């Protein structure tokens, strides 16, 4: 039996680990107002470098720590120099997307190098435990506490007494003023990225040793936990990040003690959403402080969209509509069906992220809601599949909008964090709500697509069905963009303060965008459920959210035709070039990075 | 008529603090219907913050704002826009990716009726449905507003009309300021707040802007103007209010205020202390 004291010790130790990640995030946010979504990937890299050092090079522990810190710092410096510095003068969305892309690329590189299977990371420490009061504590706990305290001390001395540390503090207080006083912002950025990466890498290694296991899923978890801790402590607030981390560690540990392990993450994300909603500037900031995001400058790349004449679109649609009459292989139809399903998701995301400016990273959750609703309705209540899919779309629209509505006050990066967390919450609820969702077993035997009593089994009929649904959704969305709502959405995206001053309610219009977008995504998920006949909580995952985001950027933010062209390109081209499945995600990440750097308006231009 | 007895806008003891700094310090102000009052003062005097308090973008720590006899303190900017308060922004806040036409149409947002039925709860859903279906009434309303926008843009001569379909980010600085004013006029405001409408404009452009504001005033619009160009202030305003460090230090007709020692001191004193601070920081 673990005692209450054990849970407290465990909470503080885990909190210590989170602190190493969160402090780095806070330093970076302080000087560049950027939430570094790649922080978790550096943590992952740290864990695997630690594994190489311990298992293959047999380095002694102190040397392992130094190697990990140094190697991770180099990765951080590379990210700063090649990933972010070129974007210094670009639109606000660019660095946000870049860190998402970098994180994706790093994770995939680690996965391809080391395989996705978990590995053991021995701690090199004697396996003894000491009695302390009613609980026990081991050498590894002491090591983690020691590393945490030492890092805090070093960081304090650096920030307080070194010239560069002074520059970091100056830049995080007022970047423009610091620049005018001769502070070299590039050096400051290098310093914080190097330090943040070193701390993150060591943190990953320590966690690997703590659980004696490392795997590639650690990355996203670490980013999320670090961001939660950082936001709880107040974005950019270094001591706040430490306190936020310890608090998060304790909340999780006690939560696990009361409700069980599978709820661990749920507490973290609920804490995040509650803090974002009630105190978006963190627990220690005064609630009425000015928002930390810069208030001027455009969010998305200004551009003139490529105008495609209506007749050309009609011809293209006609060609795809009659395609099955020609001798095309099943394989081609299957690929295009996937493209149409992704197209619906991309339509949804391009409306929300592009037209409305809410870069959602949890969009796959809308697929999941639609899929589960449609599957369960048709399976347990015998609702006809066509109706069930529409119900899935409506449920996604309603539930998705309801879940995201607390974050309507947030801007920029905070929206991405909130949607990422909400996406995780949805998948955790699906996993844990066994009486309805059948938990980890998933739902099997979902009836096939059917319409007015006729089953759609042949690839041709499925092709037509999904193509027509996508075209209808695209036409509706085009009509929406041409209405007063299209301009209202775009106005809020460009400047929500000016929009409010002219009577546009953020709640009302963000809700409408999510309702419309949620419907399209839910329908896509519903159709997918009936096609796959089996779904579980992992069918619709973050990778799909990122894939959809890449599609949307490729096509041009807010661009309806672009979303479809992007889907066909990203689903089709890897098939044409026969790229192996495991490299595809890596390529999507690289495409995302290249686009952000060289063509932020996408192929067809933002709207 | 009871309405005629109270001023259109009336501020009492309006105060806003940022940490230790009192940006707006117990400001009283009465603005009658059809009047134009200018607010002047050195940089950082709290003029823009005062505008933010009146338009609901910021909430006061103390004091009240009454508009047409109604207490509107702390109401949301959306509500205040619907009440007929329009403003422009000092640094310019046009919607960069929207065309000139769309920018100004947003100004008319609070006047949409056909597409925005005032039905509780399901109102937003009806709005979505009407936007997609576009019945004749919605089309007619949109058409009417577009014609109106063209009429508003015509007030700026050939500055904006030829660029009506261009995105706002591609406009010159002065044209963006004009779009902001056009957007404010499209709201058909009862009260118009202009925050340095001629900032960064050359003398010709300034003269044009001055003529436009004079025209609006002649049409009976009630205007609160923040302006650094004293020449323009003297010409246009019935009364001038001078702010310094959040406080109202003088109020009265332009020529009288201009010669008050306190006002001269505020302008000079700040100039001097400003340079002194910069020197000690360097
Ligand atoms: N959101 C805010 N947070 C903290 N301080 C603020 C904030 N907004 C304004 N201030 C401070 O309040 C004071 C008044 O600022 P304000 O912008 O109202 O001045 P102003 O009279 O409009 O100056 P200018 O002529 O330069 O436009 C300034 O010292 C400014 O730094
Ligand atoms: Mg100002």
């Amino acid at each position: 039996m673990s005692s209450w004291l054990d849970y407290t010790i465990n909470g503080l130790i885990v909190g210590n680990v989170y602190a190493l990640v969160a402090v780095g995030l806070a330093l970076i946010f302080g000087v560049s107002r950027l939430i570094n979504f790649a922080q978790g990937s550096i943590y992952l890299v740290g864990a695997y470098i630690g594994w190489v050092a311990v298992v293959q090079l047999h380095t002694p522990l102190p040397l392992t720590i130094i190697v990990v810190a140094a190697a991770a710092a180099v990765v951080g410096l590379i990210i700063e120099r090649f990933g972010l510095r070129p974007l210094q003068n670009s639109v606000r969305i660019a660095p946000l997307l870049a860190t998402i892309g970098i994180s994706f690329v790093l994770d995939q590189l680690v996965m391809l190098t080391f395989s996705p299977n978990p590995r053991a990371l021995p701690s090199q420490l004697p396996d003894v435990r000491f009695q302390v009061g009613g609980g026990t504590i081991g050498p590894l706990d002491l090591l983690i506490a020691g590393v945490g305290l030492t890092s805090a001390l070093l960081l304090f001395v650096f920030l307080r007494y070194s010239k560069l540390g002074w520059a970091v503090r100056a830049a995080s207080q007022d970047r423009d003023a610091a620049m005018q006083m001769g502070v070299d912002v590039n050096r400051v950025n290098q310093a914080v990225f190097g330090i943040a990466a070193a701390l993150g890498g060591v943190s990953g290694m320590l966690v690997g040793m703590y659980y004696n296991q490392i795997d590639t899923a650690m990355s996203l978890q670490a980013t999320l936990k670090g961001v939660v801790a950082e936001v709880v402590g107040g974005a950019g607030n270094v001591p706040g990040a430490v306190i936020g981390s310890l608090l998060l560690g304790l909340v999780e540990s006690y939560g696990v003690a009361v409700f069980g392990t599978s709820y661990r993450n749920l507490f973290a994300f609920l804490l995040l959403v509650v803090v974002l909603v009630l105190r978006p500037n963190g627990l220690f900031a005064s609630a009425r402080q000015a928002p930390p995001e810069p208030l001027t400058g455009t969010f998305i790349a200004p551009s003139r969209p490529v105008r495609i004449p209506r007749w050309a679109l009609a011809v293209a649609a006609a060609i795809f509509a009659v395609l099955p009459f020609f001798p095309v292989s099943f394989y081609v139809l299957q690929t295009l069906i996937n493209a149409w399903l992704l197209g619906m998701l991309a339509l949804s995301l391009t409306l929300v992220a592009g037209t409305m400016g809410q870069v959602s990273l949890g969009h796959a959750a809308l697929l999941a809601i639609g899929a589960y609703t449609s599957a369960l309705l048709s399976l347990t209540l015998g609702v006809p599949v066509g109706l069930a899919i529409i119900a899935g779309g409506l449920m996604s629209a309603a539930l998705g909008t309801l879940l995201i509505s607390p974050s309507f006050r947030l801007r920029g990066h905070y929206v991405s964090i909130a949607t990422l967390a909400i996406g995780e919450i949805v998948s955790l609820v699906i996993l844990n709500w066994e009486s309805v969702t059948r938990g980890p077993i998933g739902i099997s035997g979902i009836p096939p697509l059917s319409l007015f009593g006729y089953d759609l089994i042949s690839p041709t009929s499925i092709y037509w069905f999904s193509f027509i649904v996508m075209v209808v959704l695209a036409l509706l969305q085009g009509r929406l963009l041409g209405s007063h709502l299209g301009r209202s959405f775009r106005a809020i995206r460009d400047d929500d303060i000016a929009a409010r001053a002219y009577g546009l309610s953020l709640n009302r219009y963000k809700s409408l965008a999510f309702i419309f977008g949620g419907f399209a995504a839910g329908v896509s998920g519903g159709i997918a459920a009936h096609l796959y006949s089996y779904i579980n909580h992992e069918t619709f995952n973050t990778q799909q959210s990122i894939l959809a985001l890449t599609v949307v950027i490729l096509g041009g933010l807010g661009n309806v035709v672009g979303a479809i062209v992007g889907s066909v390109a990203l689903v089709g081209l890897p098939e044409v070039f026969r790229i192996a499945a495991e490299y595809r995600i890596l390529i999507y990440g690289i495409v995302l990075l290249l686009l952000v750097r060289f063509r932020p308006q996408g192929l067809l231009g933002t709207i | 008529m009871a309405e005629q007895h109270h001023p259109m806008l009336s501020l009492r003891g309006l105060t806003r603090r940022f940490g230790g700094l009192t940006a707006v310090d117990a400001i009283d102000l009465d603005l009658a219907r059809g009047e134009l009052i200018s607010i002047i003062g050195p940089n950082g005097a709290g003029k823009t913050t005062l505008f933010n308090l009146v338009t609901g973008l910021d909430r006061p720590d103390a004091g009240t704002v009454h508009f047409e006899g109604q207490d509107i303190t702390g109401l949301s900017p959306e509500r205040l826009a619907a009440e007929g308060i329009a403003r422009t922004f000092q640094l310019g806040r046009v919607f960069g990716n929207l065309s000139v036409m769309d920018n100004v149409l947003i100004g008319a947002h609070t006047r949409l009726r056909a597409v925005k039925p005032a039905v509780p709860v399901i109102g937003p859903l009806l709005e979505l449905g009407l936007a997609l279906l576009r019945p004749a009434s919605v089309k007619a309303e949109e058409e009417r507003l577009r014609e109106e926008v063209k009429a508003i843009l015509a007030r700026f001569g050939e500055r904006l009309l030829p660029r009506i379909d261009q995105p706002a980010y591609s406009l010159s600085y002065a044209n963006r300021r004009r779009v902001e004013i056009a957007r404010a006029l499209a709201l058909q405001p009862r009260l118009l707040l202009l925050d340095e409408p001629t900032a960064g404009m050359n003398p010709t452009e300034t003269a044009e802007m001055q003529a436009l504001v004079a025209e609006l005033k002649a049409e009976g619009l009630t205007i609160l103007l923040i302006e650094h160009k004293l020449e323009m202030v003297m010409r246009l305003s019935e009364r001038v209010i001078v702010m310094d460090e959040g406080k109202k230090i003088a109020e009265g007709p332009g020529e009288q205020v201009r010669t008050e020692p306190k006002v001269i001191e505020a302008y000079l004193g700040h100039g001097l202390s400003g340079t002194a601070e910069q020197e000690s920081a360097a």
Side-chain angles (χ1 to χ4, degrees):
Chain A
M1 272 306 287
S2 286
S3 70
W4 185 84
L5 188 63
D6 270 331
Y7 281 113
T8 307
I9 292 174
N10 175 269
L12 289 175
I13 296 301
V14 172
N16 225 311
V17 168
Y18 293 158
L20 289 172
V21 178
V23 162
L25 286 168
L27 279 173
I28 291 174
F29 190 91
V31 299
S32 52
R33 295 284 176 271
L34 169 72
I35 287 169
N36 179 16
F37 280 93
Q39 188 74 358
S41 307
I42 296 174
Y43 165 102
L44 180 71
V45 170
Y48 276 87
I49 293 172
W51 180 84
V52 172
V54 171
V55 176
Q56 304 206 310
L57 306 175
H58 308 290
T59 52
L61 185 62
L63 187 59
T64 310
I65 295 177
I66 292 172
V67 166
V68 168
V74 169
V75 176
L77 290 176
I78 292 174
I79 292 177
E80 191 277 326
R81 179 65 189 82
F82 298 102
L84 295 171
R85 201 181 297 177
L87 301 177
Q88 249 166 17
N89 297 319
S90 56
V91 284
R92 274 185 291 143
I93 197 175
L96 168 69
L97 295 173
T99 62
I100 294 168
I102 290 167
S103 134
F104 226 55
V105 169
L106 280 180
D107 290 0
Q108 287 304 312
L109 286 176
V110 170
M111 195 182 283
L112 290 172
T113 316
F114 294 96
S115 92
N117 300 330
R119 283 159 197 259
L121 178 56
S123 76
Q124 305 172 295
L125 288 169
D127 192 16
V128 292
R129 294 197 73 81
F130 314 108
Q131 279 297 133
V132 183
T136 66
I137 193 164
L140 191 56
D141 297 330
L142 296 174
L143 174 71
I144 291 175
V147 170
L149 289 176
T150 314
S151 314
L153 192 67
L154 286 176
L155 192 62
F156 176 78
V157 170
F158 165 75
L159 288 175
R160 191 84 214 174
Y161 298 106
S162 76
K163 192 145 189 301
L164 189 55
W166 171 83
V168 168
R169 281 189 297 143
S172 56
Q173 249 171 33
D174 187 336
R175 193 184 165 96
D176 294 333
M179 274 168 81
Q180 277 167 19
M181 283 153 74
V183 167
D184 181 349
V185 177
N186 286 338
R187 286 245 304 149
V188 166
N189 281 339
Q190 270 174 352
V192 294
F193 270 89
I195 294 171
L199 294 175
V202 170
S203 170
M205 179 205 75
L206 291 173
V207 170
M209 292 178 171
Y210 193 67
Y211 294 111
N212 192 18
Q213 182 186 321
I214 56 176
D215 64 62
T216 45
M218 293 165 67
S219 163
L220 181 63
Q221 294 298 328
T223 302
L224 280 169
K225 297 298 174 61
V227 168
V228 174
E230 198 232 352
V231 171
V232 168
N237 179 344
V238 174
V242 176
I243 298 174
S245 304
L246 297 177
L247 194 68
L248 175 62
L250 288 174
V251 164
E252 279 188 9
S253 190
Y254 295 144
V256 168
V258 180
F259 296 96
T261 329
S262 56
Y263 288 91
R264 174 186 283 272
N265 291 336
L266 207 50
F267 285 107
F269 302 141
L270 287 176
L271 181 67
L272 172 73
V273 174
V274 168
V275 169
L276 279 180
V277 170
L278 297 182
R279 302 194 68 96
N281 292 315
L283 292 182
F284 312 110
S286 78
R288 297 235 341 247
Q289 221 178 340
E293 288 283 324
L295 298 178
T296 47
T298 48
F299 183 63
I300 69 166
S303 79
R304 283 165 216 251
V306 178
R307 293 243 170 262
I308 303 174
R310 267 163 199 270
W311 63 262
L313 292 176
V315 168
I319 291 175
F320 278 110
V322 299
L323 194 67
F325 291 124
F326 293 90
V328 287
S329 68
F330 171 74
Y331 172 71
V332 168
L333 288 187
Q334 189 59 48
T335 304
L336 284 172
I337 290 170
N338 289 338
W340 306 147
L341 288 180
L342 179 61
M344 293 175 213
L345 181 66
L347 282 174
S348 165
L349 188 60
T350 211
L351 179 71
V352 167
T355 311
M356 195 73 241
Q358 310 290 299
V359 180
S360 160
L361 295 182
H363 233 60
L366 296 173
L367 292 177
I369 294 173
Y372 270 85
T373 306
S374 188
L376 288 171
L377 281 180
S378 57
L379 203 58
T380 54
L381 297 181
V383 175
V385 170
L387 282 181
I389 289 174
I390 292 177
L394 292 176
M395 182 62 103
S396 261
L399 205 55
T401 308
L402 195 70
L403 287 172
I404 190 71
S405 61
S407 331
F408 283 162
R409 302 193 289 133
L410 307 176
R411 287 202 177 98
H413 298 197
Y414 288 96
V415 176
S416 305
I417 297 167
T419 47
L420 194 56
I422 291 167
E424 291 292 302
I425 290 175
V426 167
S427 116
L428 287 168
V429 167
I430 290 175
L431 180 62
N432 286 300
W433 196 10
E434 291 192 20
S435 59
V436 172
T437 63
R438 309 192 187 165
I441 304 164
I443 301 179
S444 49
I446 303 169
L449 283 178
S450 71
L451 214 53
F452 309 117
Y454 296 100
D455 282 355
L456 308 178
I457 310 261
S458 74
T460 315
S461 56
I462 296 173
Y463 174 91
W464 271 325
F465 178 75
S466 48
F467 181 67
I468 290 169
V469 171
M470 183 198 67
V471 169
V472 168
L473 287 172
L475 288 174
L476 280 176
Q477 191 157 323
R479 213 168 154 74
L480 183 74
L481 293 187
S483 74
H484 81 290
L485 285 178
R487 88 176 158 252
S488 303
F489 292 169
R490 294 164 65 221
I492 291 174
R493 167 196 72 194
D494 278 5
D495 192 331
D496 59 353
I497 292 198
R500 292 186 67 195
Y502 282 91
L504 276 71
S505 149
L506 303 189
N507 282 339
R508 182 181 185 115
Y509 293 110
K510 288 185 182 178
S511 297
L512 289 183
F514 273 95
I515 286 174
F516 192 92
F519 181 77
V523 165
S524 173
I527 296 176
H530 296 281
L531 278 185
Y532 303 161
S533 86
Y534 170 77
I535 54 174
N536 66 19
H537 68 285
E538 283 172 336
T539 310
F540 307 101
N541 54 28
T542 313
Q543 288 192 349
Q544 285 179 45
S545 300
I546 305 284
L547 173 58
L549 191 62
T550 311
V551 166
V552 164
I553 312 249
L554 177 66
L557 280 157
N559 197 316
V560 169
V561 180
I564 296 169
V565 171
S567 300
V568 174
L570 280 194
V571 173
L573 290 182
E575 300 291 343
V576 172
F577 294 109
R578 312 242 166 232
I579 296 170
E582 60 262 38
Y583 287 102
R584 283 188 189 175
I585 295 161
L586 178 66
I587 287 170
Y588 296 148
I590 292 173
V591 168
L592 180 61
L593 281 178
L594 292 176
L595 281 169
V596 169
R597 173 78 178 82
F598 296 106
R599 199 170 162 83
Q601 73 274 40
L603 292 179
L604 300 184
T606 51
I607 289 186
Chain B
M1 292 225 290
E3 253 194 29
Q4 299 303 328
H5 295 306
H6 50 73
M8 173 173 265
L9 180 74
S10 149
L11 316 181
R12 287 292 170 271
L14 208 58
T15 301
R16 175 69 166 113
R17 298 183 199 92
F18 295 113
L21 175 100
T22 308
V24 172
D25 197 350
I27 294 286
D28 295 336
L29 185 155
D30 283 312
L31 179 64
R33 210 160 282 99
E35 202 179 10
L36 189 156
I37 295 188
S38 292
I39 302 177
I40 63 170
N43 290 341
K47 307 179 294 290
T48 299
T49 308
L50 184 72
F51 267 28
N52 289 344
L53 296 177
V54 173
T55 53
L57 288 174
D58 198 355
R59 276 201 314 246
D61 293 302
T64 56
V65 184
H66 281 80
F67 180 64
E68 299 281 24
Q70 226 188 92
D71 187 353
I72 58 160
T73 321
L75 290 189
S76 70
E78 299 94 295
R79 267 295 304 281
L80 296 178
E83 292 291 328
I85 301 181
R87 74 171 285 180
T88 64
F89 294 88
Q90 179 175 0
L91 298 174
R93 284 182 176 275
V94 291
F95 305 112
N97 289 286
L98 267 61
S99 66
V100 170
M101 171 58 93
D102 279 349
N103 263 282
V104 183
L105 278 173
I106 290 288
H109 185 85
T110 55
R111 295 167 50 220
L112 293 171
R113 291 286 173 276
V115 77
K116 263 182 71 188
V119 184
V121 191
I122 58 159
L125 291 177
L126 286 179
E127 186 179 349
L128 181 60
L130 288 168
L132 290 173
L133 290 175
R134 273 185 242 162
S137 61
V138 169
K139 275 192 192 139
E141 180 176 64
E142 184 82 4
E143 220 24 67
R144 187 169 52 72
L145 289 177
R146 281 174 189 272
E147 288 309 314
E148 212 177 283
V149 168
K150 285 182 195 152
I152 293 174
L153 293 179
R155 303 187 77 137
F156 298 86
E158 285 299 293
R159 298 281 193 187
L160 295 177
L161 269 181
R163 302 181 173 81
I164 193 163
D165 289 321
Q166 289 185 15
Y169 73 79
S170 70
L171 300 178
S172 71
Y173 178 77
N175 270 339
R176 271 183 265 165
R177 308 299 319 252
R178 294 186 185 106
V179 168
E180 270 212 81
I181 291 177
R183 182 174 69 187
L185 294 179
L187 188 138
Q188 291 192 346
R190 293 199 275 175
L191 170 64
L192 176 63
L193 294 90
L194 299 171
D195 196 344
E196 295 195 30
T198 69
M201 287 190 175
N202 66 31
T204 329
E205 293 165 343
T206 304
E208 269 179 43
M209 186 58 73
Q210 184 175 329
L212 177 70
V213 177
E215 217 177 284
L216 294 174
K217 184 186 166 187
E219 287 164 20
L221 192 56
T222 314
I223 299 174
L224 206 52
L225 172 73
I226 296 179
E227 187 49 68
H228 276 304
K229 292 180 179 151
L230 287 185
E231 157 80 17
M232 177 165 166
V233 169
M234 298 301 155
R235 283 265 169 89
L236 289 174
S237 22
E238 267 99 13
R239 270 186 302 149
V240 176
I241 287 175
V242 188
M243 281 181 76
D244 184 32
E245 295 183 337
K247 294 193 191 61
K248 180 162 83 179
I249 58 166
E251 174 169 8
E255 294 307 329
Q256 173 199 324
V257 160
R258 194 177 200 171
T259 51
E260 274 189 40
K262 263 199 283 188
V263 175
I264 297 168
E265 193 192 322
Y267 271 90
L268 289 179
H270 270 272
L272 290 178
S273 74
T275 31
E277 265 167 36
Q278 272 162 17
E279 268 161 20
S280 68

